Amino acid sequence: MSTTGATADPLAALGSLPGVADSVESVRKAVDRVYGHRIMRRRSNEITSEAALRGARGSAALSGADWALEEVRRRTDFSAEDEARTVGAALRLTAEAGQLLSIWRQSPLRVLARLHLVAAADRGDAVGRPRQSGEKVDEPLVELPLPDADEVAGRLEGLSQLIIAGGSAPALVTAAVVHGELIALRPFASHNGLVARAAERIVLIGSGLDPKSICPAEVGHAELGRAAYLAALDGYVSGTPEGMAAWIAHCGRAVELGARESAAVCEALQRGAA
């Protein structure tokens, strides 16, 4: 995403793209429905914990480790093979995201570095910093053109400035841009998808749209499928108004599906308490 142009608030400008306002409103209604559920008044911590688990499972699935939820729930060792390490990284990121909210608006680049460190703690000196010129990127499921290290540095700085400056953009728009930009740039040598989805979660929580983190977009992204996810990312990378709007709408639908998942959990808990 270009962070320069005629408007002083390019993120807010995206909110005026065709269809985006409808997506924002639809997401708001879906989130409000979950927060209004009677179970949320006394068992919100359980809903948050379950949403975290399901969100981590969804994010790992998009990175190639599509495990059943119960397998994620029962497993204790996540170090044995590549898929297990991916699931373990997703779980660690989901747990870490809530601890970084106060830092995000002041130093988003510091948060991104921390997220990568958490996800890829065993990757040596390439951990917790943007990739350097000539370094390869281990992100085999994403085949978008790879920007060079100088472009990555410039665009990360631009994204950071937008987040620090704040603005009037809806939370959905900001979250979608953060997510899309990090996948487009793949700033780290590995785990970029997991980091991007964790950053999306941070924006949704910190903005106040989903303060209890009970509407995991990662669940929706996984449910919509990897093919649709990558096609929507193509639209983001194109930079066209149509492509950007389609990506934001895709992210909005993912949040709605995450909200629906937690609503189902609320219903199950209510039936159990009856």
Side-chain angles (χ1 to χ4, degrees):
M1 175 190 175
S2 173
T3 57
T4 60
T7 176
D9 191 350
L11 293 181
L14 293 175
S16 65
L17 292 175
V20 170
D22 290 340
S23 293
V24 169
E25 179 62 19
S26 184
V27 166
R28 179 75 269 172
K29 288 179 178 178
V31 173
D32 285 347
R33 280 194 294 272
V34 183
Y35 275 84
H37 198 286
R38 64 175 60 186
I39 283 290
M40 284 295 296
R41 290 198 293 270
R42 60 185 188 276
R43 301 181 71 174
S44 64
N45 288 343
E46 292 175 67
I47 308 301
T48 295
S49 295
E50 188 65 19
L53 184 72
R54 294 175 185 229
R57 192 218 73 82
S59 190
L62 288 170
S63 288
D66 192 0
W67 287 15
L69 180 63
E70 291 310 312
E71 175 67 9
V72 178
R73 197 188 302 279
R74 73 164 191 82
R75 181 74 78 96
T76 57
D77 179 12
F78 295 98
S79 61
E81 68 276 350
D82 286 347
E83 285 195 6
R85 286 193 289 271
T86 296
V87 174
L91 288 167
R92 292 193 301 274
L93 284 173
T94 300
E96 187 75 10
Q99 310 302 314
L100 299 171
L101 297 174
S102 62
I103 306 172
W104 175 254
R105 286 295 297 270
Q106 286 75 42
S107 184
L109 297 185
R110 180 180 163 196
V111 169
L112 293 175
R114 173 62 185 171
L115 290 174
H116 188 250
L117 180 65
V118 168
D122 59 346
R123 296 282 179 134
D125 62 1
V127 169
R129 61 159 176 79
R131 57 184 167 86
Q132 299 172 356
S133 180
E135 286 185 327
K136 293 182 179 180
V137 174
D138 180 14
E139 205 76 39
L141 301 179
V142 178
E143 298 180 352
L144 299 169
L146 188 67
D148 64 29
D150 288 341
E151 181 179 351
V152 167
R155 287 173 61 176
L156 278 180
E157 182 60 33
L159 182 65
S160 175
Q161 290 173 5
L162 286 176
I163 293 166
I164 292 169
S168 60
L172 172 63
V173 172
T174 303
V177 168
V178 168
H179 184 169
E181 191 73 351
L182 291 174
I183 295 285
L185 295 178
R186 279 146 292 161
F188 301 107
S190 64
H191 297 85
N192 291 286
L194 295 176
V195 168
R197 292 184 287 274
E200 179 185 44
R201 173 183 285 268
I202 288 172
V203 174
L204 293 172
I205 300 170
S207 67
L209 176 64
D210 182 21
K212 294 183 182 294
S213 191
I214 61 170
C215 302
E218 305 97 321
V219 167
H221 286 303
E223 184 173 336
L224 291 167
R226 189 182 299 145
Y229 181 71
L230 294 176
L233 279 168
D234 282 339
Y236 178 86
V237 172
S238 76
T240 65
E242 298 80 9
M244 297 292 289
W247 169 246
I248 293 168
H250 184 88
C251 291
R253 183 60 180 149
V255 176
E256 290 181 55
L257 290 171
R260 186 181 72 178
E261 183 92 351
S262 285
V265 172
C266 287
E267 289 296 319
L269 288 175
Q270 182 168 283
R271 288 193 299 271

